[in-house]
Amino acid sequence: MYNDVKLEKGLYNLSGKSFTSALEELDPSAAYAGTELSSLDAYERQLKRYNIKVNGSDCDMVEKFFTSTETAVLFPEFVSRCIKKGFDETVLQAVTAVRTVSESSQYLGCVLDDSAAYGTTAQTVALTASTVTEGTTAVTLEKIGRLINASYEAIRRQRLDVFGVMLRSIGVKLANTVVSKAVEVLIEDASEITTSSLSYSDLADLYGEFDNFNMTTVLTSPAVASKIAAMDQLKDTRAKADGKIILPFGSELVKSAAVDDDTIIGLDRNFALEFITSTGLILETDKLIDRQLDQMTVSVTCGFRKITPDAVQLLTITS
């Protein structure tokens, strides 16, 4: 049971396992099916065990994690989860078709040659072929990270929900830096149409450039996104409950500061881009457990590869 789990630093350093995965092996969630704890994972059960409240009106302060050596072990996972939540609530989800974990800092994917025309084939005539081969150019994964300066004395009396929001904001900005790498890959060698002055008909033309795929996403700079949102054709458009704006032809309007004001990227998120990581978010844990918080580091090593080139189209504003 979760009350019997021995919490120690070594749970963070097991090869190929996250802290929560290690806890799950010691305290499987399947054992709680049909009970009031069935909705909690192994980490959340440990928070309940030690009565650590991370949100709500009676939310605890940071120092609650450091009432014992065992509860201190839970703090790095709290920090990691907050940053990861912010990281995952970004544009990355709107532009990535698949996420691949690579054991190396160099990733060599496969390439599809699908250029031969599709059509009917007479009897005895060979079918046209699509060919999958190993790529010739490897993607080099890059490390993107952040150093966080925060002494224990500065944050010990801070409410956990407020501190968690700060950490989430770091995750958001870290992810937006990662998105800039995605934008570089999306733009490279993409087919484009041009316009001298952006209008709704230009967006419709961009939509029409997709033949085999759908334009699920329109990715623009914040300035261009605001111009699109102000177009007369969108005056009856209503944002969804989650704040997403859906254009009349079904594409989600997504803004990112990584895109310049002269470029609009249309893509089919289901086919366009592969997000490659050699790690998840990496956080230094020992210092956090020992309350040596003066310098926390969080990083991710990642890269991107375009899977289906014709699932990406550009609209370039020339003036």
Side-chain angles (χ1 to χ4, degrees):
M1 294 293 290
Y2 69 99
N3 285 319
D4 301 320
V5 174
K6 175 67 174 176
L7 296 176
E8 53 189 1
K9 290 181 181 181
L11 293 172
Y12 284 101
N13 301 314
L14 298 178
S15 178
K17 296 178 184 177
S18 67
F19 179 71
T20 298
S21 296
L23 283 181
E24 285 286 348
E25 287 193 1
L26 298 172
D27 178 38
S29 291
Y32 299 90
T35 73
E36 63 178 7
L37 300 178
S38 61
S39 63
L40 305 180
D41 64 23
Y43 175 73
E44 292 165 335
R45 287 191 292 275
Q46 292 303 310
L47 294 181
K48 180 177 178 63
R49 172 187 180 184
Y50 290 103
N51 195 32
I52 300 174
K53 300 180 179 67
V54 298
N55 51 46
S57 59
D58 56 348
C59 177
D60 287 312
M61 297 181 184
V62 170
E63 64 183 2
K64 183 65 175 287
F65 273 108
F66 297 96
T67 55
S68 73
T69 55
E70 283 202 284
T71 55
V73 173
L74 297 172
F75 185 61
E77 180 68 6
F78 168 77
V79 174
S80 179
R81 287 189 177 208
C82 291
I83 295 175
K84 186 177 185 302
K85 185 175 182 181
F87 190 91
D88 290 341
E89 294 174 345
T90 59
V91 177
L92 271 176
Q93 307 305 311
V95 301
T96 302
V98 293
R99 181 169 181 163
T100 299
V101 177
S102 171
E103 295 182 355
S104 169
S105 61
Q106 297 281 323
Y107 175 75
L108 192 62
C110 56
V111 176
L112 172 65
D113 182 352
D114 205 27
S115 57
Y118 284 73
T120 58
T121 303
Q123 293 186 17
T124 74
V125 176
L127 295 172
T128 55
S130 297
T131 305
V132 178
T133 58
E134 186 176 58
T136 57
T137 303
V139 176
T140 299
L141 307 188
E142 298 179 283
K143 183 177 181 178
I144 298 172
R146 191 72 172 177
L147 175 67
I148 307 168
N149 294 312
S151 70
Y152 176 67
E153 289 303 317
I155 66 171
R156 60 185 291 265
R157 301 290 294 173
Q158 179 63 64
R159 281 172 56 106
L160 284 167
D161 53 359
V162 176
F163 186 53
V165 170
M166 295 177 184
L167 294 171
R168 280 173 56 198
S169 72
I170 291 172
V172 168
K173 293 177 181 178
L174 187 64
N176 286 337
T177 303
V178 173
V179 169
S180 67
K181 302 300 180 182
V183 168
E184 291 175 6
V185 173
L186 288 169
I187 291 175
E188 185 177 8
D189 298 326
S191 298
E192 68 173 334
I193 58 175
T194 62
T195 182
S196 59
S197 181
L198 179 64
S199 66
Y200 181 78
S201 63
D202 295 316
L203 295 177
D205 288 341
L206 181 62
Y207 173 74
E209 290 296 302
F210 289 80
D211 46 14
N212 292 304
F213 302 99
N214 294 317
M215 188 169 73
T216 64
T217 307
V218 172
L219 183 61
T220 76
S221 69
V224 173
S226 68
K227 291 179 182 178
I228 293 173
M231 290 179 175
D232 288 341
Q233 291 83 355
L234 272 69
K235 64 182 179 182
D236 295 324
T237 297
R238 295 291 183 266
K240 297 170 67 176
D242 55 7
K244 295 178 180 178
I245 296 177
I246 306 300
L247 302 180
F249 36 79
S251 304
E252 179 187 349
L253 179 62
V254 177
K255 62 182 177 67
S256 170
V259 185
D260 65 48
D261 292 341
D262 298 322
T263 303
I264 296 174
I265 305 171
L267 67 141
D268 190 327
R269 74 179 67 174
N270 300 305
F271 296 95
L273 200 63
E274 181 179 13
F275 179 33
I276 308 145
T277 61
S278 62
T279 64
L281 286 172
I282 294 180
L283 190 72
E284 287 184 332
T285 58
D286 286 356
K287 286 185 177 181
L288 296 183
I289 294 169
D290 296 335
R291 286 186 282 188
Q292 297 172 7
L293 310 184
D294 290 354
Q295 291 190 334
M296 296 183 281
T297 61
V298 59
S299 64
V300 61
T301 302
C302 63
F304 293 89
R305 189 177 71 93
K306 197 181 299 182
I307 302 173
T308 312
D310 50 341
V312 183
Q313 305 287 338
L314 300 183
L315 171 62
T316 300
I317 304 169
T318 58
S319 63

